[in-house]
Amino acid sequence: MWKLKIAEGNSPWLRSLNNHVGRQIWEYDPDLGTPQQLQEIEEARQIFRKNRFDNKHSSDLLMRIQFARENPNSAVLPQVKVKDDDYVTEEVITTTLRRALSYHSTLQAHDGHWPGDYGGPMFLMPGLVIALSVTGALSAVLSKEHQREMCRYLYNHQNKDGGWGLHIEGHSTMFGTALTYVTLRLLGEGASDGDGAMEKGRQWILDHGSATAITSWGKMWLSVLGVFEWTGNNPLPPEIWLLPYMLPFHPGRMWCHCRMVYLPMSYLYGKRFVGPITPTVLSLRRELFNVPYHEIDWDRARNECAKEDLYYPHPLVQDILWTSLHKVVEPILLRWPGKRLREKALTTVMEHIHYEDENTRYLCIGPVNKVLNMLCCWAEDPNSEAFKLHLPRVNDYLWLAEDGMKMQGYNGSQLWDTAFAVQAIISTNLYEEYDTTVRKAHTFIKNSQVVDDCPGDLNHWYRHISKGAWPFSTADHGWPISDCTAEGLKAALSLSRLPSQIAGEPIEVKRFYDAVNIILSWQNADGGFATYELTRSYPWLELINPAETFGDIVIDYPYVECTSAALQALVSFKKLYPGHRREEIENCIREAAKFIERIQAADGSWYGSWGVCFTYGTWFGVKGLVAAARNYDTCPAIRKACDFLLSKQLPSGGWGESYLSCQDKVYTNIEGNKAHLVNTSWAMLSLIDAGQAERDPEPLHRAAKLLFNSQMENGDFPQQEIMGVFNKNCMITYAAYRNIFPIWALGEYRTRVLNTP
């Protein structure tokens, strides 16, 4: 049976700053589990399989089944249901919250964080399997049980038409389908296996133009494997890293996720790296294309892309640029004396790869560059220590649920979820009853703050300062992020105000000062905050975005979520420490509030770039402006936001926003006008902050009743449609949101609405 292990790391090839706090990995133990426990897991898998086309999102049941044994909820209060015409009493709301808090506390790990699924994208696992296959490490890193669960996951998320999407809820794409088909073949599935699933997948590929129509990232992975030619790729010259930084298109000016992905891609392209040509590779050359492999027009394939994948079409300037590089520049760089420049560029690129690896304890900033960096280390030296240090960190990215084993979009969302959970628990005013939960969460937050900058000349490595920040996941990962730092600081400040017998000892004041310092350092000239760094270049650079599948990836744009979170954190800090850098903080808050007002849409909403979507963005917009001392009466932006949200409330009393809102940038209800508990919670939190209870509490009462009646028998809330997003077009799972935000919304409802006249 599988077991989730927390904060463990017994390999000599693992490095950690804090004894692996926050680490979450799944291990298989053949001797674990009673027949009843194994049957419970198998039933969960069968139910998911049966309903997979209607409910595409897993409910994280394997973790819940394990924690129900390890952290039993001793006394579950009776379930509460209310009718439309019922009056909501203090007893009803308090009982609902106690049930929710008691259950959510059982999901907390012993190190203080809440583990959970951060999967969703379908293009991550293929890169891992291809890299491990090419390096010969597949069976050494992934046991037969791992591979079986990966196959389960991939089969479970095949669409009815035979294809696979960019993410688990998306329509079929060539990127998703071709890479998933290849992954299954590398995991040992035959071309006719899967009860016809493989044949359906292959037919989808051939019917939609064959694998020559895969996106540029897909072309790169297939080239590495040896089932695509590098001449069928648009150039990714590593020499761009040798250009002067003053140029606006220098990669050091790009968004860190973008540059950290294209950094190792440029190394593999520069070397024209190809793995061993195995019988499976030769077979795939026959299976993936409509014409014999040796007859494919690779020059034409460079710019082919299936219409199902085309979210960001290449503008003409890109076609001219890539053609010029391909036909003029590359031939020079592949021959002497140009080859000497290529060798220098490859050396420079590997220096940056090793710096990234070492300063993230070989986790890397995300799953794509993690796998690419690992492959580059092997390509540089198959026996290198760097490659060996990479291998045990693969498990940090794998998550298991009843739908199978997936690769996550990060090594988890540990700090992010914990910071939100703390704020949600405190909002209920019931935190004294959950002091053990609160203390453990506080310990995790303290252990997860980044306490030092990365070593060396940060400008040389194109890195922002890190000291004082909180990461998205763990301290070992270490990349500093503006909104994670802000939410971490907000949670830590709130905890510092609670009695120490409940919350434990507060963080030292100096560490609060460090957090404030880095938050102030992130503000751009326009008042807004981007994600990891300052915005270093111009929006027109998006003209050279080569990723047909994603939008807004080239530079680090400012966002309402990051700006609002930073503003809120500084306001909270200023209340407790009014004398520290007062003028700078007040100026930062003032400019951030102006930025939030300036980017509001005409209909009163804010576009959410990291959650689905307008309800998420609007929650941050309203919360930021209220923190900046705006209110409904004095601020037209808040009034417009309330009007927008109220116009989207459903007859059920809730809100339900589809992921299509993100990609289409138009508010779109979930099919069938279905309410979603997380969207409903975000809308409630916005309206409560904006004073809706004083004007007309009825919309809040209706929404609260929906949350009451949706709570499950054990105090959990049901998993519904996917609620996270990145780069406009790819959705991602936040499994803890289903618990955190109903608790938070009902907590605010209990303390700020229920007793309002």
Side-chain angles (χ1 to χ4, degrees), residues 167-179:
H167 55 88
I168 58 173
E169 294 189 16
H171 66 270
S172 297
T173 63
M174 187 64 72
F175 189 30
T177 305
L179 287 185

Side-chain angles (χ1 to χ4, degrees), residues 32-102:
L32 195 65
T34 66
Q36 293 80 7
Q37 291 167 348
L38 295 171
Q39 180 63 27
E40 185 180 11
I41 291 170
E42 191 56 37
E43 287 176 359
R45 289 168 173 161
Q46 290 175 7
I47 291 171
F48 181 86
R49 178 73 180 169
K50 180 180 178 181
N51 300 304
R52 68 189 185 281
F53 295 126
D54 297 319
N55 300 309
K56 297 185 177 184
H57 206 299
S58 64
S59 296
D60 231 355
L61 292 181
L62 269 63
M63 182 193 76
R64 281 165 161 75
I65 290 169
Q66 176 180 326
F67 280 18
R69 297 193 310 272
E70 296 177 356
N71 309 322
N73 191 358
S74 54
V76 181
L77 295 171
Q79 193 168 10
V80 177
K81 299 288 184 182
V82 293
K83 298 177 182 177
D84 288 346
D85 54 354
D86 284 352
Y87 177 74
V88 178
T89 65
E90 172 77 17
E91 182 181 4
V92 166
I93 179 64
T94 304
T95 299
T96 301
L97 280 168
R98 283 184 174 131
R99 283 166 44 78
L101 289 166
S102 295

Side-chain angles (χ1 to χ4, degrees), residues 516 520 523 567 570-571 573-575 577-594 628 630:
V516 168
L520 291 172
Q523 189 169 40
L567 185 162
L570 292 175
V571 169
F573 174 83
K574 182 168 168 280
K575 288 177 182 176
Y577 303 96
H580 182 74
R581 300 177 70 171
R582 180 168 184 163
E583 186 175 340
E584 292 173 79
I585 289 172
E586 288 179 349
N587 182 64
C588 182
I589 292 168
R590 182 169 54 252
E591 295 306 311
K594 290 178 183 177
R630 312 301 206 257

Side-chain angles (χ1 to χ4, degrees), residues 15-32:
R15 296 175 176 176
S16 179
L17 298 172
N18 59 4
N19 294 318
H20 303 287
V21 168
R23 189 172 192 236
Q24 47 190 38
I25 61 167
W26 287 90
E27 287 189 1
Y28 184 79
D29 183 346
D31 300 321
L32 195 65

